[in-house]
């Protein structure tokens, strides 16, 4: 019933910006923490960013993205976002969004703890 659909991925040049969206249908979006992960060819899937469902919208970021990416959400639209700025070739990957439904401890950077996943949207940065 719960479905996540990512969009916004494109082929861009170094330094470009993109805004990825994750539309969630079904379930109760406002009760889910949301996360973004990415997987490059030949590499393991890695944590990118996460945002809490409330409590001041606590945010977490991987060191690799530093201050270049910004995660956000709009509970009125059942949508999570990831703003990508200053893109680099190493950012090239398939980007996934995921929903965290557990009410206990928030394992925000552990992919196995997220229950629902989208199909991914491809971001390719050429040099």
């Amino acid at each position: 019933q719960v479905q996540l659909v990512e969009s916004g991925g494109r082929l861009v040049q170094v330094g470009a910006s993109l805004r990825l969206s994750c539309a969630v249908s079904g379930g109760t979006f406002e009760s889910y923490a949301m996360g973004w992960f990415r997987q490059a060819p030949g590499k393991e899937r890695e944590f990118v960013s996460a945002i809490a469902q409330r409590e001041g919208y606590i945010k977490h970021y991987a060191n690799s993205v530093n201050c270049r990416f910004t995660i956000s959400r709009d509970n009125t639209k059942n949508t999570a976002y990831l703003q990508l700025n200053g893109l680099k070739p190493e950012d090239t990957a398939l980007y996934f969004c995921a929903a965290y439904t557990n009410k206990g401890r928030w394992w925000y950077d552990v992919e196995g703890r997220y229950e629902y996943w989208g199909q991914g949207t491809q971001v390719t940065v050429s040099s």
Side-chain angles (χ1 to χ4, degrees), residues 7-78:
S7 62
R10 299 285 188 276
L11 170 62
V12 300
Q13 295 185 357
V14 171
S17 296
L18 287 174
R19 182 180 175 86
L20 307 184
S21 297
C22 175
V24 180
S25 61
T28 309
F29 177 77
E30 64 269 23
S31 70
Y32 306 151
M34 297 295 298
W36 285 94
F37 295 77
R38 68 185 182 185
Q39 186 168 26
K43 297 184 178 180
E44 296 182 345
R45 187 177 300 176
E46 66 176 350
F47 168 76
V48 176
S49 185
I51 184 170
Q53 66 272 36
R54 50 182 67 88
E55 288 86 32
Y57 287 169
I58 297 172
K59 302 173 183 178
H60 298 277
Y61 296 96
N63 292 332
S64 60
V65 304
N66 200 8
C67 298
R68 297 182 298 114
F69 294 2
T70 302
I71 190 171
S72 62
R73 67 188 295 157
D74 187 341
N75 286 351
T76 68
K77 298 181 178 180
N78 291 352

